[in-house]
Short mmCIF file of all heavy atoms in Angstrom, two decimals:
data_model
loop_
_atom_site.label_atom_id
_atom_site.label_comp_id
_atom_site.label_asym_id
_atom_site.label_seq_id
_atom_site.Cartn_x
_atom_site.Cartn_y
_atom_site.Cartn_z
N GLY H 126 2.22 -12.54 -6.87
CA GLY H 126 1.51 -13.63 -6.24
C GLY H 126 0.51 -13.15 -5.21
O GLY H 126 0.61 -12.04 -4.68
N ALA H 127 -0.48 -13.99 -4.93
CA ALA H 127 -1.47 -13.75 -3.88
C ALA H 127 -1.63 -15.06 -3.13
O ALA H 127 -2.30 -15.98 -3.60
CB ALA H 127 -2.80 -13.26 -4.45
N THR H 128 -0.98 -15.17 -1.98
CA THR H 128 -0.95 -16.44 -1.26
C THR H 128 -2.35 -16.91 -0.89
O THR H 128 -3.22 -16.12 -0.54
CB THR H 128 -0.12 -16.31 0.02
OG1 THR H 128 -0.70 -15.32 0.87
CG2 THR H 128 1.31 -15.90 -0.29
N ARG H 129 -2.58 -18.21 -1.03
CA ARG H 129 -3.82 -18.88 -0.68
C ARG H 129 -5.00 -18.44 -1.56
O ARG H 129 -6.13 -18.85 -1.32
CB ARG H 129 -4.17 -18.68 0.80
CG ARG H 129 -3.09 -19.14 1.76
CD ARG H 129 -3.50 -18.98 3.22
NE ARG H 129 -4.62 -19.82 3.56
CZ ARG H 129 -5.81 -19.38 3.95
NH1 ARG H 129 -6.03 -18.07 4.05
NH2 ARG H 129 -6.79 -20.20 4.24
N SER H 130 -4.73 -17.59 -2.55
CA SER H 130 -5.78 -17.15 -3.47
C SER H 130 -5.67 -17.92 -4.77
O SER H 130 -4.72 -18.68 -5.02
CB SER H 130 -5.67 -15.64 -3.74
OG SER H 130 -5.92 -14.91 -2.57
N THR H 131 -6.67 -17.72 -5.65
CA THR H 131 -6.70 -18.38 -6.95
C THR H 131 -6.84 -17.34 -8.05
O THR H 131 -7.75 -16.52 -7.99
CB THR H 131 -7.88 -19.36 -7.03
OG1 THR H 131 -7.82 -20.26 -5.92
CG2 THR H 131 -7.84 -20.15 -8.32
N PRO H 132 -5.93 -17.32 -9.04
CA PRO H 132 -4.69 -18.09 -9.09
C PRO H 132 -3.72 -17.61 -8.03
O PRO H 132 -3.86 -16.51 -7.50
CB PRO H 132 -4.18 -17.80 -10.50
CG PRO H 132 -4.71 -16.44 -10.82
CD PRO H 132 -6.05 -16.36 -10.16
N SER H 133 -2.72 -18.41 -7.76
CA SER H 133 -1.73 -18.04 -6.74
C SER H 133 -0.74 -17.02 -7.26
O SER H 133 -0.05 -16.37 -6.47
CB SER H 133 -0.99 -19.28 -6.25
OG SER H 133 -0.30 -19.91 -7.32
N SER H 134 -0.67 -16.86 -8.60
CA SER H 134 0.29 -15.91 -9.18
C SER H 134 -0.20 -15.51 -10.57
O SER H 134 -0.83 -16.31 -11.28
CB SER H 134 1.67 -16.56 -9.28
OG SER H 134 2.64 -15.64 -9.68
N ILE H 135 0.05 -14.25 -10.95
CA ILE H 135 -0.30 -13.74 -12.27
C ILE H 135 0.92 -13.06 -12.87
O ILE H 135 1.61 -12.29 -12.20
CB ILE H 135 -1.48 -12.75 -12.19
CG1 ILE H 135 -2.76 -13.47 -11.76
CG2 ILE H 135 -1.70 -12.04 -13.53
CD1 ILE H 135 -3.96 -12.56 -11.58
N ASN H 136 1.19 -13.36 -14.15
CA ASN H 136 2.28 -12.74 -14.87
C ASN H 136 1.80 -11.40 -15.45
O ASN H 136 0.98 -11.37 -16.36
CB ASN H 136 2.76 -13.66 -15.99
CG ASN H 136 3.95 -13.10 -16.76
OD1 ASN H 136 4.45 -12.02 -16.45
ND2 ASN H 136 4.39 -13.83 -17.77
N LEU H 137 2.31 -10.31 -14.89
CA LEU H 137 1.88 -8.98 -15.32
C LEU H 137 2.12 -8.75 -16.80
O LEU H 137 1.36 -8.04 -17.46
CB LEU H 137 2.59 -7.92 -14.49
CG LEU H 137 2.34 -6.46 -14.83
CD1 LEU H 137 0.86 -6.11 -14.72
CD2 LEU H 137 3.18 -5.54 -13.95
N SER H 138 3.16 -9.36 -17.36
CA SER H 138 3.49 -9.10 -18.77
C SER H 138 2.44 -9.66 -19.72
O SER H 138 2.42 -9.27 -20.89
CB SER H 138 4.87 -9.68 -19.10
OG SER H 138 4.84 -11.09 -19.11
N THR H 139 1.57 -10.55 -19.24
CA THR H 139 0.48 -11.04 -20.09
C THR H 139 -0.70 -10.07 -20.09
O THR H 139 -1.62 -10.23 -20.90
CB THR H 139 0.00 -12.42 -19.62
OG1 THR H 139 -0.57 -12.30 -18.30
CG2 THR H 139 1.16 -13.41 -19.57
N LEU H 140 -0.66 -9.07 -19.21
CA LEU H 140 -1.77 -8.12 -19.09
C LEU H 140 -1.44 -6.77 -19.70
O LEU H 140 -2.35 -6.03 -20.09
CB LEU H 140 -2.14 -7.93 -17.62
CG LEU H 140 -2.48 -9.19 -16.82
CD1 LEU H 140 -2.75 -8.83 -15.36
CD2 LEU H 140 -3.68 -9.91 -17.43
N THR H 141 -0.18 -6.42 -19.76
CA THR H 141 0.23 -5.12 -20.29
C THR H 141 1.61 -5.23 -20.88
O THR H 141 2.41 -6.09 -20.48
CB THR H 141 0.21 -4.05 -19.18
OG1 THR H 141 0.43 -2.75 -19.75
CG2 THR H 141 1.26 -4.31 -18.12
N ASP H 142 1.91 -4.41 -21.87
CA ASP H 142 3.19 -4.44 -22.56
C ASP H 142 4.28 -3.85 -21.67
O ASP H 142 4.20 -2.67 -21.28
CB ASP H 142 3.10 -3.66 -23.87
CG ASP H 142 4.38 -3.74 -24.69
OD1 ASP H 142 5.26 -4.54 -24.35
OD2 ASP H 142 4.49 -2.99 -25.69
N LEU H 143 5.29 -4.64 -21.35
CA LEU H 143 6.40 -4.19 -20.52
C LEU H 143 7.68 -4.07 -21.35
O LEU H 143 8.78 -4.35 -20.87
CB LEU H 143 6.60 -5.16 -19.35
CG LEU H 143 5.40 -5.34 -18.42
CD1 LEU H 143 5.74 -6.30 -17.30
CD2 LEU H 143 4.94 -4.00 -17.85
N THR H 144 7.52 -3.62 -22.59
CA THR H 144 8.66 -3.41 -23.48
C THR H 144 9.03 -1.93 -23.51
O THR H 144 8.16 -1.08 -23.68
CB THR H 144 8.31 -3.87 -24.91
OG1 THR H 144 7.98 -5.25 -24.89
CG2 THR H 144 9.49 -3.63 -25.86
N VAL H 145 10.30 -1.65 -23.31
CA VAL H 145 10.79 -0.27 -23.39
C VAL H 145 12.00 -0.27 -24.31
O VAL H 145 12.98 -0.97 -24.06
CB VAL H 145 11.18 0.29 -22.01
CG1 VAL H 145 11.60 1.75 -22.13
CG2 VAL H 145 10.02 0.17 -21.03
N LYS H 146 11.92 0.53 -25.38
CA LYS H 146 13.00 0.56 -26.37
C LYS H 146 13.76 1.87 -26.32
O LYS H 146 13.23 2.90 -25.92
CB LYS H 146 12.44 0.33 -27.78
CG LYS H 146 11.87 -1.06 -27.99
CD LYS H 146 11.47 -1.28 -29.45
CE LYS H 146 10.99 -2.71 -29.66
NZ LYS H 146 10.62 -2.97 -31.08
N ASP H 147 15.02 1.77 -26.73
CA ASP H 147 15.89 2.94 -26.89
C ASP H 147 16.02 3.74 -25.60
O ASP H 147 15.85 4.96 -25.57
CB ASP H 147 15.35 3.84 -28.02
CG ASP H 147 16.48 4.66 -28.66
OD1 ASP H 147 17.63 4.18 -28.68
OD2 ASP H 147 16.20 5.78 -29.12
N ILE H 148 16.33 3.02 -24.52
CA ILE H 148 16.54 3.67 -23.23
C ILE H 148 17.91 4.34 -23.24
O ILE H 148 18.92 3.68 -23.48
CB ILE H 148 16.51 2.64 -22.09
CG1 ILE H 148 15.19 1.85 -22.10
CG2 ILE H 148 16.71 3.31 -20.73
CD1 ILE H 148 15.20 0.65 -21.18
N PRO H 149 17.98 5.65 -23.00
CA PRO H 149 19.31 6.28 -22.94
C PRO H 149 20.04 5.84 -21.67
O PRO H 149 19.45 5.78 -20.59
CB PRO H 149 19.00 7.77 -22.92
CG PRO H 149 17.60 7.87 -22.41
CD PRO H 149 16.90 6.63 -22.83
N LEU H 150 21.31 5.51 -21.81
CA LEU H 150 22.10 5.02 -20.69
C LEU H 150 23.18 6.02 -20.31
O LEU H 150 23.76 6.68 -21.17
CB LEU H 150 22.77 3.69 -21.03
CG LEU H 150 21.85 2.52 -21.42
CD1 LEU H 150 22.68 1.27 -21.67
CD2 LEU H 150 20.80 2.28 -20.35
N VAL H 151 23.43 6.11 -19.03
CA VAL H 151 24.56 6.87 -18.50
C VAL H 151 25.54 5.86 -17.93
O VAL H 151 25.16 5.07 -17.06
CB VAL H 151 24.11 7.87 -17.42
CG1 VAL H 151 25.31 8.62 -16.84
CG2 VAL H 151 23.10 8.86 -17.99
N PRO H 152 26.78 5.83 -18.40
CA PRO H 152 27.73 4.83 -17.92
C PRO H 152 27.82 4.81 -16.40
O PRO H 152 27.91 5.85 -15.75
CB PRO H 152 29.05 5.28 -18.55
CG PRO H 152 28.65 6.01 -19.79
CD PRO H 152 27.37 6.70 -19.44
N GLY H 153 27.72 3.62 -15.84
CA GLY H 153 27.80 3.47 -14.40
C GLY H 153 26.51 3.69 -13.66
O GLY H 153 26.46 3.53 -12.44
N LYS H 154 25.45 4.04 -14.39
CA LYS H 154 24.14 4.25 -13.76
C LYS H 154 23.23 3.06 -14.05
O LYS H 154 23.35 2.40 -15.09
CB LYS H 154 23.48 5.53 -14.27
CG LYS H 154 24.27 6.80 -13.98
CD LYS H 154 24.32 7.09 -12.49
CE LYS H 154 25.02 8.42 -12.21
NZ LYS H 154 25.09 8.71 -10.77
N PRO H 155 22.28 2.76 -13.15
CA PRO H 155 21.39 1.63 -13.39
C PRO H 155 20.50 1.83 -14.61
O PRO H 155 20.27 2.96 -15.06
CB PRO H 155 20.54 1.58 -12.11
CG PRO H 155 21.33 2.34 -11.09
CD PRO H 155 22.07 3.39 -11.84
N ILE H 156 19.99 0.73 -15.13
CA ILE H 156 19.00 0.74 -16.20
C ILE H 156 17.62 0.66 -15.56
O ILE H 156 17.34 -0.29 -14.80
CB ILE H 156 19.21 -0.42 -17.17
CG1 ILE H 156 20.58 -0.29 -17.87
CG2 ILE H 156 18.09 -0.48 -18.20
CD1 ILE H 156 20.92 -1.45 -18.76
#
Side-chain angles (χ1 to χ4, degrees):
T128 61
R129 304 182 64 243
S130 294
T131 306
S133 61
S134 187
I135 293 177
N136 182 2
L137 176 59
S138 70
T139 65
L140 305 177
T141 188
D142 184 10
L143 301 181
T144 300
V145 184
K146 294 186 176 181
D147 206 30
I148 304 169
L150 301 182
V151 178
K154 298 293 184 181
I156 297 175

